Amino acid sequence: KLRISLDTRQRAGKAVTLVEHFNGKSDDLEDLGKKLKTFCGTGGSVKDGIIIIQGDQREKVRQYLVKNGYGVK
């Protein structure tokens, strides 16, 4: 199950959406990160097994993950 959360720590007050607890290959994680960024229409990155999407995109990320068969907490 993937965990979606909002984080503002050490980001100059800007909010980012985090997707954590991905189990799989790093290539699959990179691919999912790229698809989520495209779906949300924002920037982001993948670092240390965590997908970081700029802005408060929790609802969009949740919709995408559920639609594509991922378990979400």
Side-chain angles (χ1 to χ4, degrees), residues 4 58-67 72-73:
I4 302 169
R58 289 175 291 185
E59 204 50 48
K60 274 189 175 180
V61 168
R62 182 179 305 281
Q63 287 173 5
Y64 181 86
L65 293 174
V66 169
K67 185 174 81 173
V72 179
K73 280 188 186 177

Side-chain angles (χ1 to χ4, degrees), residues 34 45 47 65:
K34 190 180 241 184
S45 64
K47 292 182 184 171
L65 293 174

Side-chain angles (χ1 to χ4, degrees), residues 10 12 16 20-21 27 29 35 51 55 58 60-61 68 71:
Q10 299 178 352
V16 294
E20 304 171 283
H21 302 297
D27 289 345
L29 181 65
K35 288 177 181 174
I51 300 172
R58 289 175 291 185
K60 274 189 175 180
V61 168
N68 289 286

Side-chain angles (χ1 to χ4, degrees), residues 3-73:
R3 183 170 176 260
I4 302 169
S5 60
L6 188 69
D7 184 33
T8 56
R9 280 180 273 137
Q10 299 178 352
R11 303 183 197 283
K14 307 243 190 242
V16 294
T17 303
L18 303 177
V19 181
E20 304 171 283
H21 302 297
F22 182 85
N23 294 328
K25 298 179 194 168
S26 61
D27 289 345
D28 296 337
L29 181 65
E30 293 279 344
D31 190 45
L32 178 60
K34 190 180 241 184
K35 288 177 181 174
L36 282 172
K37 288 189 291 184
T38 303
F39 182 76
C40 294
T42 63
S45 64
V46 177
K47 292 182 184 171
D48 302 325
I50 299 173
I51 300 172
I52 303 168
I53 306 292
Q54 292 177 354
D56 185 357
Q57 304 289 338
R58 289 175 291 185
E59 204 50 48
K60 274 189 175 180
V61 168
R62 182 179 305 281
Q63 287 173 5
Y64 181 86
L65 293 174
V66 169
K67 185 174 81 173
N68 289 286
Y70 291 95
V72 179
K73 280 188 186 177

